[in-house]
Amino acid sequence: MAHAAPRLTARRAGLVACRHCAHVWPAGTPVCGVCRASLTSRAPHSLQRVWAWWVAGVVTYIPANLFPMMKTSMLGDETASTIIGGVLDLLHHDAAFVAAVVFLASVCIPLGKFLAIAWIALALRRPAGSVPAHQLHRVHALVEFIGRWSMIDVFVVAILSALVQFSVVVSIHPGLAAISFACSVGFTMLSAQSLDPRLIYDASEQGRT
Amino acid sequence: MTSTSPDPARLVACPTCDTLFHADLLTAGRTATCSCCGTVIFAPRNGAIRTVLALAVAALVLMAVALGFPFLTMTASGLTTQASVIDAVASFAVDDMAPLSLAIGLLIVLLPSLRLCLLIYVTLPLALGRRPWPRAREAFRMNVELRPWSMAEIFMVGVAVAMVKVADMATISFGPAFWAMAAVATLLAAKDAVTCERTLWHMLRPA
Ligand SMILES: [Zn+2]
Ligand SMILES: [Zn+2]
């Protein structure tokens, strides 16, 4: 790390900081006097909760890819399309850009998030300084910012199911994957939120206090 | 490092990395960035409270418009269907998918509206120069915590993708609710961009 002297953190000064309003209180104060949020120096069991939500996110992502995202019935024939099927369908419509957006939101971002969160959580267990804290923090911030956008495909199915209802001629219905995909996105968001970023900066300074 | 315990009232800590700073940062009136991790701790703006309040009221009014009018109309070989935002929410209510229907309703309508109501409740007395209303701090904290779960802007991108998917099957025309919802998404983003969470906390602190 580039810092010469150890940083003076709230914890080293015997204080506990509020993550909402940034005010500090003597260690052990249960509730912030400014915003009334409950105070913890570091979120308890942060990594366990990260992993629990992470596993839930990965497990629900599997059926999201196996089952159909939406079912189109056209004059009695029913065709079901998965997430990947929907992307290929867009490519056949010569909508390469939109196909890329959906592929990014439904495949790249979820998989990237699983890898990124696992990488951060594992890096926190490794000896101090193996991965610079700034890098971990930047990746965590990116995951938190971008994770919500995976929900796009669920909304696509919702609006299509509402709009395309021409009785027997053509109608679109949501498939099972819509539910498991929505759950997967939600669980992964909770996994990223469970990580207390202060642990990242603690980990980079272990053993030099 | 000093051995005497510092006075907590004179200090603030970076919410991302726990580094301590002098509370003078709050009163300096300038943007303060954490020297360790780069997190923006304070970003005060002049007159921001009135701007935030105006944006929130406008977004709430437009949200009501978006719910009351048709969203999209689709015409294909003589047949016409219309969908409102409520229809999009209710589309999962069939086929045993009611929980998802509820979740979508929360993400695109209820949570954004709730956040706007909470924010108006918090900022209206401040903009009028009055003391904060009761439980304003709880209301504001809830508004902040719900932020990632309010997805109106993501819904609008989903709508754009959906329109491409049916483009060769039918002609789509936009209803008033479409434009209202697009404006809501924009206003929500603008409102979050001008809100400095910790400056508001400073205004809400107990006297
Ligand atoms: Zn606080
Ligand atoms: Zn910091």
Side-chain angles (χ1 to χ4, degrees):
Chain A
M1 292 294 295
H3 306 289
R7 292 178 300 132
L8 181 57
T9 62
R11 178 146 83 171
R12 285 196 187 111
L15 300 167
V16 54
C18 173
R19 288 206 62 205
H20 284 277
C21 65
H23 284 87
V24 294
W25 309 94
T29 311
V31 174
C32 176
V34 169
C35 68
R36 298 208 187 108
S38 59
L39 295 173
T40 49
S41 183
R42 301 293 180 268
H45 313 299
S46 175
L47 279 181
Q48 283 97 317
R49 288 192 297 133
V50 168
W51 282 118
W53 288 121
W54 186 86
V55 168
V58 172
V59 166
T60 43
Y61 188 66
I62 299 166
N65 280 281
L66 298 179
F67 288 101
M69 197 73 176
M70 66 184 193
K71 294 174 278 186
T72 313
S73 56
M74 198 176 271
L75 298 166
D77 292 334
E78 190 170 271
T79 47
S81 60
T82 56
I83 290 175
I84 295 292
V87 173
L88 295 176
D89 185 47
L90 279 168
L91 279 177
H92 292 149
H93 285 67
D94 292 324
F97 175 72
V98 182
V101 169
V102 176
F103 186 73
L104 202 68
S106 308
V107 181
C108 301
I109 293 179
L111 291 177
K113 270 191 310 186
F114 296 141
L115 292 175
I117 295 173
W119 178 64
I120 296 169
L122 291 173
L124 292 184
R125 297 233 181 269
R126 293 175 58 199
S130 351
V131 187
H134 294 265
Q135 206 170 324
L136 291 171
H137 170 210
R138 208 169 299 144
V139 172
H140 181 237
L142 187 70
V143 166
E144 286 219 286
F145 174 76
I146 234 166
R148 319 156 57 235
W149 286 90
S150 296
M151 211 59 109
I152 287 178
D153 222 21
V154 177
F155 294 143
V156 171
V157 176
I159 194 79
L160 285 180
S161 312
L163 195 59
V164 186
Q165 291 298 344
F166 295 106
S167 60
V168 288
V169 185
V170 54
S171 62
I172 290 179
H173 296 281
L176 206 59
I179 286 191
S180 47
F181 189 71
C183 289
S184 177
V185 176
F187 293 153
T188 319
M189 282 171 69
L190 289 168
S191 174
Q193 284 175 15
S194 302
L195 185 78
D196 187 337
R198 294 175 295 194
L199 293 173
I200 293 176
Y201 285 87
D202 289 347
S204 71
E205 294 173 346
Q206 270 160 15
R208 51 204 289 313
T209 312
Chain B
M1 264 185 277
T2 52
S3 53
T4 53
S5 67
D7 176 14
R10 306 277 311 123
L11 297 167
V12 292
C14 171
T16 305
C17 70
D18 214 28
T19 305
L20 281 171
F21 296 96
H22 281 284
D24 303 344
L25 283 177
L26 286 137
T27 43
R30 280 177 284 110
T31 301
T33 312
C34 174
S35 56
C36 170
C37 70
T39 301
V40 175
I41 305 179
F42 299 104
R45 288 173 186 82
N46 285 334
I49 284 289
R50 278 156 201 274
T51 316
V52 169
L53 179 62
L55 289 170
V57 171
L60 196 62
V61 170
L62 286 165
M63 182 65 97
V65 173
L67 292 181
F69 286 89
F71 188 69
L72 293 172
T73 307
M74 187 170 118
T75 318
S77 46
L79 295 164
T80 300
T81 55
Q82 222 175 44
S84 66
V85 177
I86 306 279
D87 292 332
V89 170
S91 66
F92 288 106
V94 292
D95 308 333
D96 304 331
M97 297 219 180
L100 192 58
S101 210
L102 178 71
I104 293 199
L106 279 171
L107 295 177
I108 64 179
V109 177
L110 295 177
L111 291 183
S113 308
L114 175 64
R115 284 194 69 214
L116 290 169
C117 292
L118 291 169
L119 196 63
I120 292 170
Y121 181 83
V122 170
T123 52
L124 185 59
L126 294 179
L128 296 173
R130 307 248 173 90
R131 296 202 14 235
W133 282 333
R135 304 190 80 78
R137 294 182 279 171
E138 282 82 355
F140 184 59
R141 206 174 63 241
M142 192 173 183
N143 166 66
V144 172
E145 281 170 350
L146 290 177
R147 182 174 175 173
W149 303 98
S150 146
M151 299 191 177
E153 76 276 29
I154 302 174
F155 175 69
M156 289 311 286
V157 176
V159 170
V161 173
M163 287 186 309
V164 173
K165 284 202 172 192
V166 292
D168 59 354
M169 192 199 281
T171 33
I172 304 275
S173 53
F174 306 119
F178 177 87
W179 302 111
M181 200 68 187
V184 168
T186 316
L187 288 177
L188 286 175
K191 166 187 75 74
D192 285 332
V194 295
T195 315
C196 171
E197 196 189 325
R198 277 168 280 278
T199 307
L200 250 162
W201 279 128
H202 195 62
M203 301 176 81
L204 290 170
R205 75 194 184 286

